[in-house]
Amino acid sequence: MWQTIKQIPFWQKVVAGFILGATVGVIFGEQATVLKPLGDLFISAIKMLVAPLIFCAIVVSITALGNDVSLKRLSFKTLAMFMFTGTIASIIGLTVGSMIDMGGTMELATSEVRERHVPGFAQVLLDMIPVNPFASLAEGKVLQIIVFAALVGIAINKVGEKAQALKNTIEAGAEVMFQLTRMVLQLTPIGVFGLMAWVVGEYGLSTLLPLGKFIGAIYIAALIHIIFVYGGLIKFAAKLSPVQFFRKAMPAQLVAFTTASSFGTLPASTRCTESMGVSKKYGAFVLPMGATMNMDGCGGIYPAIAAIFIAQIYGIPLEMSDYLLIAVTATVASVGTAGVPGSAMVMLSVTLGVVGLPLEGIAFIAAIDRVIDMIRTSTNVTGDMMTAVVVGKSEGQVDVDQFYTNDEPLKPAANT
């Protein structure tokens, strides 16, 4: 029996928890609210992860660049492209999310008290610098943790051999946090069950209706980003044909959409970039780096729209400073945590925490995460291939004649 349950795909367990929780809420009504502590336990466990996970992951990401000058130049150039497209993805997500009324007339109550003090732009910048890094870690001040972690990573690289022990310790800490994250995320079906039983029991089935608009908003934003941002960079930065790029990228996009795994798509994306004329040496560098750090779908579009959706259903107004914090946090933190299992959920909890939105809202979208993850992954993988072509061409790593050859695209079935 237990072995059979273990063999069920994780996303199916989450969907089952969602359905069972909603069913219990419908049948038992307000009595189902006694199950809310199960959801609260899950939310508390997610909160527990954020500070140490962000710190270790970002330090490891910075130190991975090393001190090799040529590799460092190529790394920073690639990373700059990831950051640029991630920022644009956040802006697109915020724009699309703001234009669509995903929450409708529904307005839930939250036990969290959200202070509406809106600091000025200068104060936002000052608040990013931790006066006491240990206090920032203890209080979960994400932006301060990100800045401190980045500075620690840079300092470790500058110190060199003498800091190797600290580097090894933080890398080991990152691995421990990744494993702890895997363990905590196994609680997702139980947490979703408890929260959905509480929500439906308290507010009724009408709470589930806005999910269709939320999914639609994610897909619209992702397609805009893929077609116009990635296509535009191929056209104007690399001065190549976007049509040819998308034709050759299609097999990897299909694999990404069906598997919802950036790492699982690496064989397909590698062969696709080779068919575009990207050198094997650079492709072998940028694609794994992209699968680990480039998350426009997970770290840009998704948390931006999800934060707006959760704000709408809880009736919490967002100020311009909130939108700025969402964009900055989603872009910067995603680069450091993209390789973490379940990074989308971790990133969402980080983004919600920064702008003071209730984490209970995660339960609404956890069950449909698989549907969203398909387009998120397709966006991420397309961004990896675009970066390989655009940055590769600027470094003389792309054979333009090969890019324009009309060989048949590789079949996705051969790469799964």
Side-chain angles (χ1 to χ4, degrees):
M1 175 68 177
W2 179 247
Q3 289 297 323
T4 303
I5 294 175
K6 288 178 67 176
Q7 292 174 358
I8 299 174
F10 179 72
W11 68 270
Q12 292 183 11
K13 294 178 184 177
V14 177
V15 171
F18 182 92
I19 295 173
L20 287 173
T23 302
V24 169
V26 170
I27 294 174
F28 294 98
E30 290 189 7
Q31 293 180 334
T33 58
V34 298
L35 297 172
K36 187 174 182 288
L38 292 176
D40 293 338
L41 173 67
F42 172 64
I43 296 300
S44 296
I46 289 287
K47 288 180 178 179
M48 171 187 70
L49 296 172
V50 171
L53 181 61
I54 290 285
F55 175 78
C56 291
I58 289 184
V59 172
V60 169
S61 296
I62 298 295
T63 56
L65 295 176
N67 288 310
D68 183 279
V69 177
S70 60
L71 177 61
K72 185 180 293 186
R73 187 188 74 250
L74 199 57
S75 298
F76 274 114
K77 209 167 185 179
T78 303
L79 185 59
M81 179 62 77
F82 292 163
M83 295 289 289
F84 173 71
T85 58
T87 302
I88 299 299
S90 298
I91 294 172
I92 291 174
L94 291 171
T95 303
V96 172
S98 300
M99 293 174 64
I100 300 175
D101 182 14
M102 296 174 285
T105 58
M106 183 179 66
E107 185 169 320
L108 306 183
T110 175
S111 57
E112 296 185 18
V113 179
R114 186 171 187 267
E115 296 182 8
R116 294 306 305 156
H117 170 67
V118 181
F121 181 73
Q123 188 62 44
V124 170
L125 294 179
L126 289 174
D127 288 342
M128 292 175 66
I129 307 299
V131 176
N132 184 338
F134 297 102
S136 300
L137 286 164
E139 297 168 12
K141 294 183 177 179
V142 176
L143 287 179
Q144 294 185 3
I145 295 171
I146 291 171
V147 171
F148 180 63
L151 293 174
V152 169
I154 293 170
I156 288 175
N157 282 343
K158 286 186 174 296
V159 172
E161 188 62 32
K162 291 183 179 179
Q164 188 62 41
L166 178 58
K167 179 181 177 181
N168 293 340
T169 299
I170 296 177
E171 287 178 350
E175 290 300 322
V176 171
M177 289 309 305
F178 293 166
Q179 181 58 44
L180 184 56
T181 301
R182 295 185 188 98
M183 293 163 60
V184 168
L185 290 180
Q186 293 302 310
L187 298 174
T188 304
I190 298 173
V192 168
F193 169 77
L195 288 172
M196 289 313 302
W198 162 64
V199 168
V200 175
E202 184 81 16
Y203 301 101
L205 278 177
S206 61
T207 56
L208 307 182
L209 297 179
L211 289 177
K213 289 184 177 180
F214 173 68
I215 294 173
I218 295 286
Y219 272 72
I220 289 170
L223 290 174
I224 290 173
H225 191 65
I226 290 172
I227 295 170
F228 294 102
V229 177
Y230 295 156
L233 286 168
I234 292 291
K235 174 69 174 177
F236 299 107
K239 301 188 185 306
L240 297 171
S241 168
V243 174
Q244 186 76 344
F245 168 77
F246 287 122
R247 188 183 78 85
K248 291 194 171 186
M250 180 66 73
Q253 290 175 320
L254 293 176
V255 173
F257 190 81
T258 53
T259 64
S261 170
S262 294
F263 284 105
T265 310
L266 270 177
S269 57
T270 298
R271 292 187 64 189
C272 285
T273 53
E274 288 178 6
S275 76
M276 298 175 195
V278 178
S279 70
K280 291 184 179 181
K281 180 181 178 181
Y282 181 57
F285 168 77
V286 68
L287 294 177
M289 184 179 180
T292 305
M293 303 179 72
N294 183 31
M295 295 284 159
D296 291 353
C298 296
I301 293 170
Y302 172 69
I305 294 180
I308 292 175
F309 172 66
I310 291 172
Q312 288 178 354
I313 64 177
Y314 280 97
I316 300 174
L318 295 176
E319 307 290 344
M320 185 57 65
S321 60
D322 293 322
Y323 290 121
L324 176 64
L325 286 174
I326 290 171
V328 171
T329 305
T331 302
V332 177
S334 66
V335 172
T337 62
V340 179
S343 60
M345 188 172 296
V346 174
M347 268 309 308
L348 179 56
S349 67
V350 170
T351 306
L352 295 179
V354 166
V355 292
L357 294 173
L359 297 188
E360 293 96 327
I362 292 175
F364 285 95
I365 49 186
I368 56 170
D369 190 68
R370 173 72 183 196
V371 177
I372 299 170
D373 201 21
M374 295 164 75
I375 191 64
R376 281 196 314 237
T377 307
S378 295
T379 305
N380 298 339
V381 168
T382 306
D384 297 343
M385 293 186 288
M386 179 278 300
T387 301
V389 173
V390 174
V391 176
K393 187 170 184 291
S394 72
E395 292 288 317
Q397 298 289 328
V398 175
D399 183 339
V400 176
D401 291 335
Q402 174 64 27
F403 182 87
Y404 282 106
T405 56
N406 291 319
D407 52 334
E408 286 298 313
L410 303 164
K411 294 181 181 178
N415 300 295
T416 56

